[in-house]
Amino acid sequence: MYRTRKSLPAARMPRARGGLDSSHARSGKPLVMTIVGRGGCPAGYSPSLPASLSDACQRERRPVSGKHIRLPHQRREFSSPLNNRFRPEDPRSVHRCREFRSYDQQMALAKIILYYVFTPLTDPTAVRLWQRDLAESLNLRGRVLISHDGINGTLGGDIRAVKRYLRKTRDYPAFKNLDVKWSDGSGLDEGGASLDFPKLSVKVRDEIVSFGAPGELHVTSDGIVGGGTRLSPDALHDLIATRGDEVAFFDGRNALEAAIGRFQNAVIPDVNTTREFVTELDSGAYDHLKHHPVVTYCTGGVRCEVLSSLMLNRGFTEVYQLDGGIVRYGERYGDSGLWQGSLYVFDKRGSIDFSPHAAVIGECTGCGGPTKRTGNCRDASCDNQLVVCERCDRALCDRHTAEQLKQVGVDRVMQ
Ligand SMILES: [Zn+2]
Ligand SMILES: [Zn+2]
């Protein structure tokens, strides 16, 4: 669990009645409040509390287990990141009164991070155990993949917990250059966990992005050796300004993601999973781009690190990668640049927009109307995702549509 040190301006300092903050009151210095875990009662600290509650809280409070504060006058709530039960011996478990809970909820802010770093890791399993314990203790949810070549993750939770996670993770020398993108989460549940992920998953894999080509990468502490040239959003615009139509955008994501948002005139490979890229490149379908400047792009940049390297290995001569991916481009240019549509994300938000005037370029599989919504195939056994509007709600994927048409044909013949 985490501790947050908050400096409150002297003007907001409550009247002290002995106890924890009397020395601060005498000194006239700003009050430094240390919140232990999610707790420590602010009643008496918070000037917004009704005076009677504030008084009662100050009068009744007394230390429990050194760091905890017991508030017998309130309906008590117990909070622990582990099992939601108060355990005096566990410093992460604290005792909160109702006022504190509302104070804590006011302070809470749901955030989601996307991050990766390519760096050699000799013991991915040890890193997994450390990362799992760290994320779990901070009540974070999401997915983290670790391999011998680095770490790649997306996590959601309260902003204070996420910041602490990043501080701790960057303490590990191999992860000090972690590239992180932030976005707003949908919210937090009662326990303070992200609503955008069902759970926390931390796994060791052969690759941190599954191209099915783990042997092809050469990774040092400086990242991938022989990847595409990195382009910042501004450098991308410079390239387009000097080379014009010669430049080809190459979408490094799955076809579904590109269906609701993409760069103008981008080449969209026909792939359902990242694993299909190698076959697609080897098919010769993109050989005409081998002597063109090709800009690969993906959500946060991690897939293009690998894709651009695979392309260079296969004879593409001038390959670039959009550094920081679409997320960083969107932060810089919003919907006023070369990006159009919504950015698909792999959590419950479904997609994010860079501005209120984002174009809707997706077409519903059911009715053909414009939408950015994605959903599962109507067949319960099918994992395929589709662009489908709220009105149609659920539609069938190509394979299941074909199967249904075949079945209708069989039924007709039988009649
Ligand atoms: Zn529809
Ligand atoms: Zn299907």
Side-chain angles (χ1 to χ4, degrees):
M1 206 52 203
Y2 54 94
R3 283 165 190 235
T4 308
R5 288 180 68 81
K6 287 230 159 288
S7 291
L8 298 181
R12 294 180 56 197
M13 190 172 67
R15 195 153 44 104
R17 301 169 180 227
L20 300 180
D21 50 2
S22 58
S23 60
H24 292 283
R26 277 196 303 273
S27 70
K29 287 179 186 162
L31 173 68
V32 176
M33 179 171 73
T34 302
I35 300 175
V36 180
R38 301 187 64 77
C41 175
Y45 294 118
S46 167
S48 62
L49 284 175
S52 59
L53 289 179
S54 176
D55 287 346
C57 179
Q58 290 231 346
R59 196 165 47 243
E60 304 262 13
R61 78 177 175 201
R62 55 195 163 89
V64 177
S65 283
K67 289 173 181 167
H68 303 121
I69 294 169
R70 185 182 288 271
L71 298 162
H73 67 288
Q74 292 296 334
R75 181 167 65 88
R76 288 175 205 147
E77 311 239 2
F78 303 121
S79 169
S80 156
L82 301 179
N83 58 9
N84 227 28
R85 275 179 50 228
F86 176 60
R87 290 172 299 163
E89 73 284 1
D90 181 354
R92 290 173 297 184
S93 162
V94 292
H95 194 171
R96 291 185 295 171
C97 73
R98 195 171 53 215
E99 281 65 42
F100 185 67
R101 199 173 62 126
S102 84
Y103 171 85
D104 198 38
Q105 279 171 348
Q106 280 168 27
M107 297 290 289
L109 188 60
K111 285 285 177 183
I112 292 178
I113 48 167
L114 197 62
Y115 63 89
Y116 73 89
V117 64
F118 281 95
T119 186
L121 297 177
T122 46
D123 193 348
T125 305
V127 173
R128 181 184 84 85
L129 294 173
W130 161 56
Q131 280 287 305
R132 192 199 56 196
D133 285 354
L134 176 61
E136 216 169 60
S137 73
L138 291 166
N139 204 12
L140 299 178
R141 287 178 178 168
R143 280 182 307 276
V144 180
L145 294 179
I146 299 150
S147 81
H148 279 289
D149 291 333
I151 186 169
N152 176 22
T154 179
L155 290 172
D158 178 23
I159 186 168
R160 296 163 293 184
V162 175
K163 281 184 173 175
R164 184 158 176 85
Y165 168 83
L166 286 175
R167 268 201 306 277
K168 289 274 177 195
T169 298
R170 282 178 169 142
D171 276 349
Y172 184 50
F175 294 161
K176 69 177 187 299
N177 294 326
L178 210 65
D179 182 55
V180 182
K181 289 110 205 158
W182 291 81
S183 58
D184 292 333
S186 311
L188 303 170
D189 66 15
E190 279 275 297
S194 170
L195 293 174
D196 297 306
F197 299 94
K199 59 183 175 111
L200 173 70
S201 153
V202 184
K203 289 179 175 160
V204 172
R205 288 272 187 265
D206 285 343
E207 301 168 286
I208 55 172
V209 263
S210 305
F211 277 88
E216 274 201 50
L217 284 192
H218 179 37
V219 173
T220 71
S221 54
D222 293 326
I224 292 181
V225 177
T229 308
R230 291 165 192 281
L231 288 179
S232 67
D234 287 343
L236 167 66
H237 281 208
D238 290 346
L239 180 75
I240 307 265
T242 50
R243 309 285 291 274
D245 290 347
E246 207 193 336
V247 181
F249 279 110
F250 195 91
D251 202 310
R253 304 170 301 156
N254 309 329
L256 175 83
E257 299 173 72
I260 61 165
R262 55 189 173 255
F263 277 98
Q264 287 166 20
N265 304 320
V267 173
I268 311 295
D270 184 19
V271 298
N272 290 318
T273 68
T274 306
R275 208 163 267 277
E276 294 170 23
F277 267 102
V278 172
T279 319
E280 188 75 358
L281 289 176
D282 289 341
S283 74
Y286 308 103
D287 283 1
H288 60 287
L289 298 174
K290 283 190 170 171
H291 298 284
H292 277 265
V294 175
V295 179
T296 60
Y297 68 88
C298 59
T299 312
V302 66
R303 285 180 275 184
C304 294
E305 295 262 10
V306 184
L307 177 63
S308 63
S309 149
L310 296 179
M311 291 177 94
L312 285 162
N313 289 349
R314 282 164 178 74
F316 291 80
T317 51
E318 194 179 349
V319 182
Y320 300 90
Q321 51 178 323
L322 181 57
D323 202 18
I326 301 158
V327 174
R328 200 138 286 157
Y329 184 88
E331 286 169 5
R332 177 79 180 85
Y333 287 104
D335 291 305
S336 311
L338 303 165
W339 170 259
Q340 50 188 17
S342 303
L343 174 61
Y344 181 94
V345 288
F346 291 86
D347 57 61
K348 286 186 185 167
R349 293 174 298 171
S351 66
I352 54 176
D353 291 342
F354 295 122
S355 76
H357 59 270
V360 180
I361 64 167
E363 278 180 21
C364 172
T365 314
C367 66
T371 183
K372 61 178 181 181
R373 185 175 176 269
T374 54
N376 282 331
C377 169
R378 196 168 69 217
D379 189 288
S381 66
C382 182
D383 289 337
N384 284 336
Q385 281 209 310
L386 317 161
V387 178
V388 60
C389 77
E390 256 161 49
R391 205 152 46 96
C392 296
D393 189 28
R394 306 195 79 181
L396 286 172
C397 71
D398 288 352
R399 183 164 65 90
H400 282 105
T401 306
E403 278 181 16
Q404 198 179 48
L405 288 173
K406 214 163 96 187
Q407 190 58 44
V408 170
V410 170
D411 290 347
R412 285 223 179 99
V413 171
M414 299 284 281
Q415 279 164 9

